[in-house]
Amino acid sequence: MAHQHGEGDKEIIYVGDSRIRANRPKMYPKDYSEFPGKTEPFFPNFLLKEWMVAVVVLVGFMSAVMAEEPPLGDLADPTNTSFIPVPDWYFLFLYQLLKFKWAGGPYVVIGTVILPGIAFTALLLAPWLDRSPERRPTRRPVATGLMLLALVATVVLTWAAYDEHEKQLATQPPPVQLGGPKGSIVAPNDPGYEIYKRQACVQCHGEKLQGINGPTLIGVGKRHNKEEIIKIINEGLGPMPPGMFQGTEAEKEKLAEWLAKQK
């Protein structure tokens, strides 16, 4: 940098070398103590407050969990064809996604691996894919649009899965009560009782005929005779599917005779 100063016929030129650093004082942030009542140290003051809030939230959440008994379904039964499986609420959108033809059936890999993989990979790479300095959503249309699309899709799929599950439960037929009030087993030494305990019947109706996933069979002989019981065994009734009996016709006859005695 050159400065000229005229004094008569003389000219003085001052030259400054830009490579020489200026002697400027360094700017340090002011200590928090200079702002009483407005700032505080991160450790331990601020961090302790965060911990206390987290503890209160955790205690409240655990209290709500322990106060409300979780709803439990029936015992697992592979022979119960009326059971409608449904995942927890936070997986309902994926559960609904698998119902589409292009994401289920022979293309189930698309719905279970490819699409979730793309979504989680995009979340991991988000800091590198979107490096805009703008913080206002209106100035970041691509990121804002993708976020809204993912949010709306998740909410809609979750609601659709829940609504469809409720409608399926409403269309399920009520348990068919074949027998009367509970009582004791008639003729427990009958060969038909041994046949009964070896069949899949015991998993739904219970070893004592008390009914577990299916109706009780105590008193079934008051409602159905031997021929009607054989027909129910062959053709099914209500949620009970046909063809569950695995045995000979002679064993089926003995089983039906024994059940007809339950009066």
Side-chain angles (χ1 to χ4, degrees):
M1 181 181 296
H3 299 275
Q4 296 184 0
H5 177 71
E7 185 179 352
D9 296 331
K10 296 180 181 180
E11 184 178 359
I12 302 176
I13 300 175
Y14 299 94
V15 179
D17 193 343
S18 61
R19 293 174 297 178
I20 300 176
R21 297 180 178 178
N23 186 18
R24 297 175 181 175
K26 294 183 179 181
M27 302 297 293
Y28 292 102
K30 294 183 179 181
D31 191 80
Y32 68 91
S33 59
E34 297 186 19
F35 304 92
K38 296 183 178 181
T39 60
E40 61 181 349
F42 177 77
F43 183 85
N45 299 37
F46 181 79
L47 195 57
L48 182 60
K49 291 181 180 179
E50 293 293 316
W51 285 345
M52 292 301 297
V53 172
V55 168
V56 171
V57 173
L58 181 60
V59 170
F61 178 77
M62 294 305 298
S63 300
V65 169
M66 292 184 290
E68 183 67 22
E69 185 176 355
L72 299 178
D74 297 328
L75 296 176
D77 181 14
T79 65
N80 184 10
T81 58
S82 63
F83 175 72
I84 303 176
V86 61
D88 291 322
W89 65 268
Y90 42 82
F91 285 133
L92 280 178
F93 72 99
L94 288 176
Y95 174 69
Q96 185 68 17
L97 183 66
L98 296 178
K99 297 180 181 180
F100 295 105
K101 293 182 179 180
W102 48 267
Y107 308 103
V108 69
V109 177
I110 297 178
T112 57
V113 178
I114 296 179
L115 291 180
I118 293 175
F120 285 108
T121 303
L123 287 176
L124 292 175
L125 298 179
W128 292 273
L129 296 177
D130 185 12
R131 305 177 66 180
S132 174
E134 287 287 344
R135 301 184 64 181
R136 287 174 291 183
T138 55
R139 295 296 184 88
R140 302 172 66 178
V142 176
T144 304
L146 291 176
M147 180 198 69
L148 291 177
L149 178 62
L151 182 61
V152 171
T154 301
V155 172
V156 171
L157 288 175
T158 301
W159 175 85
Y162 177 79
D163 183 67
E164 184 175 348
H165 180 69
E166 290 296 317
K167 290 179 179 178
Q168 289 177 340
L169 291 178
T171 58
Q172 288 295 305
V176 180
Q177 298 296 331
L178 300 180
K182 293 185 178 181
S184 59
I185 297 177
V186 178
N189 298 324
D190 192 285
Y193 186 35
E194 296 299 323
I195 297 173
Y196 168 83
K197 291 190 291 186
R198 294 198 303 266
Q199 297 297 318
C201 319
V202 71
Q203 299 178 7
C204 289
H205 301 289
E207 186 174 351
K208 302 298 183 182
L209 307 183
Q210 75 276 18
I212 302 177
N213 296 325
T216 176
L217 296 182
I218 296 292
V220 66
K222 297 179 181 179
R223 298 284 304 276
H224 302 279
N225 56 31
K226 173 185 173 182
E227 288 73 20
E228 292 174 338
I229 293 175
I230 292 179
K231 183 179 179 181
I232 293 173
I233 294 175
N234 292 333
E235 301 179 3
L237 181 64
M240 174 183 170
M244 295 299 298
F245 183 81
Q246 301 295 322
T248 64
E249 290 297 323
E251 290 177 336
K252 186 187 298 183
E253 291 278 341
K254 292 181 180 179
L255 174 60
E257 290 178 0
W258 176 72
L259 288 173
K261 297 178 182 178
Q262 308 305 313
K263 298 180 180 180

